[in-house]
């Protein structure tokens, strides 16, 4: 499956970005949108066995997220963390996981919205 291969490449790119930037890759708008696209595609691959529709919706949402990330007003450059985030991450390391899970929850909320929209449209 080409999408599964793409998800693996996307995960490797996020890991490399994390290594180069020395912080988790969801600290600015561009990185957040790229992470949301990864979470969409990853959840689509995971839930493909249950529903092919979930895979289609996840692929569409990942594409929309990547489109928004590359519109031009978001800077893809790897930069240092803002001092506020440095303080939060030093004092509260669980902040990384809080942000990550918050984005993932938002993904499933949007996914349910699109599923309901397609169901109602039938």
């Amino acid at each position: 499956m080409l999408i599964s291969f793409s998800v693996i490449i996307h995960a490797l790119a996020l890991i490399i970005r994390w290594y180069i930037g020395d912080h988790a890759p969801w600290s600015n708008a561009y990185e957040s949108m790229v992470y949301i696209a990864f979470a969409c595609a990853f959840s689509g691959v995971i839930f493909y066995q249950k529903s092919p529709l979930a895979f289609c919706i996840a692929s569409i949402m990942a594409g929309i997220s990547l489109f928004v990330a590359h519109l031009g007003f978001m800077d893809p450059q790897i930069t240092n963390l803002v001092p506020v985030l440095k303080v939060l991450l030093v004092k509260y390391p669980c902040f990384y996981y809080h942000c990550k899970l918050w984005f993932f929850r938002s993904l499933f909320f949007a996914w349910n919205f699109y599923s309901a929209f397609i169901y109602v449209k039938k």
Side-chain angles (χ1 to χ4, degrees):
M1 245 175 156
L2 185 60
I3 297 287
S4 300
F5 181 69
S6 299
V7 168
I8 292 169
I9 297 298
H10 199 147
L12 290 174
L14 285 174
I15 290 169
I16 291 169
R17 190 169 180 100
W18 192 333
Y19 177 74
I20 291 171
D22 202 24
H23 59 82
W26 52 81
S27 62
N28 61 21
Y30 176 80
E31 291 175 344
S32 297
M33 292 307 293
V34 169
Y35 172 73
I36 289 171
F38 168 72
C40 288
F42 182 71
S43 62
V45 169
I46 296 296
F47 292 113
Y48 176 67
Q49 299 297 327
K50 299 280 185 188
S51 168
L53 179 64
F55 184 69
C56 294
I57 292 171
S59 299
I60 290 169
M61 287 177 56
I64 290 171
S65 297
L66 287 175
F67 174 70
V68 169
H70 294 287
L71 276 176
F73 61 88
M74 293 185 188
D75 186 17
Q77 183 177 357
I78 299 174
T79 58
N80 294 331
L81 279 176
V82 180
V84 172
L85 287 177
K86 283 184 183 177
V87 170
L88 281 174
L89 296 177
V90 169
K91 281 180 132 177
Y92 309 105
C94 62
F95 184 70
Y96 274 140
Y97 301 107
H98 167 76
C99 292
K100 188 164 109 174
L101 291 175
W102 185 84
F103 284 130
F104 214 65
R105 284 182 295 181
S106 300
L107 156 78
F108 284 110
F109 178 74
W111 197 357
N112 287 333
F113 171 77
Y114 287 125
S115 296
F117 180 75
I118 289 173
Y119 180 75
V120 168
K121 198 168 182 175
K122 284 184 180 181

